[in-house]
Amino acid sequence: MSENENAPHPAAVHGRAAHVRGLVLAAGAGRRMGGPKALLRHRPDEPTLVERAVTLLHAGGCAGITVVVGAAAEEVTAIVTAMGRDIDVVRCPDWDEGMGASLRAGLSALMRSTYEGEGCVDAALVTLVDLPDLTPEVVARVLDAPGHVDNAHSPHPEPDEHAVDLHEPTGPTVKELRAVLRRAAYDGMPGHPALIGRDHWDAVIAMAVGDHGAREYYRTTPHQLVECGDLATGRDTDTREELERSR
């Protein structure tokens, strides 16, 4: 074990979780929606769903954002790159296969990439572009949760003598962050965002097929659930009617 692996991350630099990059899956064609979801807006004067996703991941604490594009790639890329933040775009050539292809493309790109001031990415916070009531508070809770479910927000509170104060300034070590496997839950139902440490990326890439993304890997691998049902519903939207109702 190297000395660097034991060193804590500067996890609270301007509210950012060091070495955790947001990964927005925004490649789908949105056929039931009538067009790519990334380009939709709740109202004509509001940001697109992809802009909203990028903004809330930044606000929630991700050090930077990678957006996976596929359908309408040129248009989505132009919107994202015009935001002027620490954002990059990954193209998924087989995006029509489903969410699994987008996740593979995103994690594979992060494995090859380094970022100025951050170096290698040690964990990815994965979310979908079509979660209209996702908030920065949900992102922050999933990023900051200690090594157990935050019992104050659990539907089945249990005392935990090992509970860690969420506001402690110390962050995880490199080794701990790379080993993390965690996801949000809404009234006990697993959902997004999902925090996936680098140690899991190869296995997730191997198992991500169709529209399942990392679902099968989470089903077979121990992980932490962070209850967020008090902050959002976690529901995605597949039709314009559902998007209208989510206002």
Side-chain angles (χ1 to χ4, degrees):
M1 186 182 301
S2 70
E3 182 177 351
N4 287 340
E5 285 182 332
N6 286 318
H9 279 296
V13 178
H14 302 298
R16 297 283 181 250
H19 299 256
V20 177
R21 194 160 184 90
L23 183 61
V24 180
L25 307 185
R31 293 183 178 87
R32 293 177 59 193
M33 192 72 78
K37 296 177 183 179
L39 300 176
L40 295 179
R41 307 171 189 266
H42 278 99
R43 297 180 179 85
D45 60 339
E46 292 186 355
T48 61
L49 292 189
V50 71
E51 289 172 292
R52 183 181 182 279
V54 168
T55 298
L56 70 87
L57 289 186
H58 268 293
C62 291
I65 314 294
T66 293
V67 180
V68 181
V69 301
E74 296 288 347
E75 191 171 356
V76 177
T77 297
I79 290 173
V80 169
T81 55
M83 296 183 71
R85 303 187 186 187
D86 183 12
I87 306 167
D88 64 351
V89 173
V90 172
R91 293 200 178 213
C92 177
D94 49 352
W95 59 267
D96 201 34
E97 175 191 320
M99 188 195 309
S102 295
L103 183 57
R104 293 196 308 267
L107 291 180
S108 296
L110 293 185
M111 292 180 78
R112 300 188 299 266
S113 301
T114 58
Y115 296 90
E116 184 176 357
E118 291 293 330
C120 291
V121 177
D122 292 322
L125 187 82
V126 182
T127 194
L128 310 179
V129 76
D130 60 345
L131 303 178
D133 71 346
L134 188 63
T135 66
E137 290 75 20
V138 172
V139 173
R141 186 177 292 177
V142 175
L143 286 176
D144 293 342
H148 66 283
V149 174
D150 178 7
N151 289 310
H153 303 284
S154 171
H156 305 293
E158 295 179 0
D160 187 345
E161 64 180 356
H162 303 294
V164 178
D165 185 351
L166 289 178
H167 301 291
E168 286 184 353
T170 56
T173 66
V174 174
K175 183 177 181 180
E176 289 169 340
L177 188 55
R178 290 189 171 205
V180 72
L181 191 64
R182 183 186 299 157
R183 69 188 306 186
Y186 302 91
D187 295 329
M189 295 295 294
H192 288 87
L195 184 62
I196 307 175
R198 194 181 187 99
D199 291 350
H200 302 279
W201 291 359
D202 282 331
V204 170
I205 289 169
M207 297 176 71
V209 295
D211 272 327
H212 293 165
R215 184 188 309 170
E216 185 65 17
Y217 187 73
Y218 271 98
R219 190 183 69 80
T220 58
T221 309
H223 59 278
Q224 302 167 18
L225 285 180
V226 180
E227 180 57 47
C228 298
D230 59 318
L231 298 175
T233 67
R235 289 192 291 266
D236 61 0
T237 54
D238 291 321
T239 67
R240 288 186 179 272
E241 291 73 21
E242 291 174 347
L243 186 62
E244 288 290 323
R245 290 197 298 270
S246 69
R247 285 183 177 181

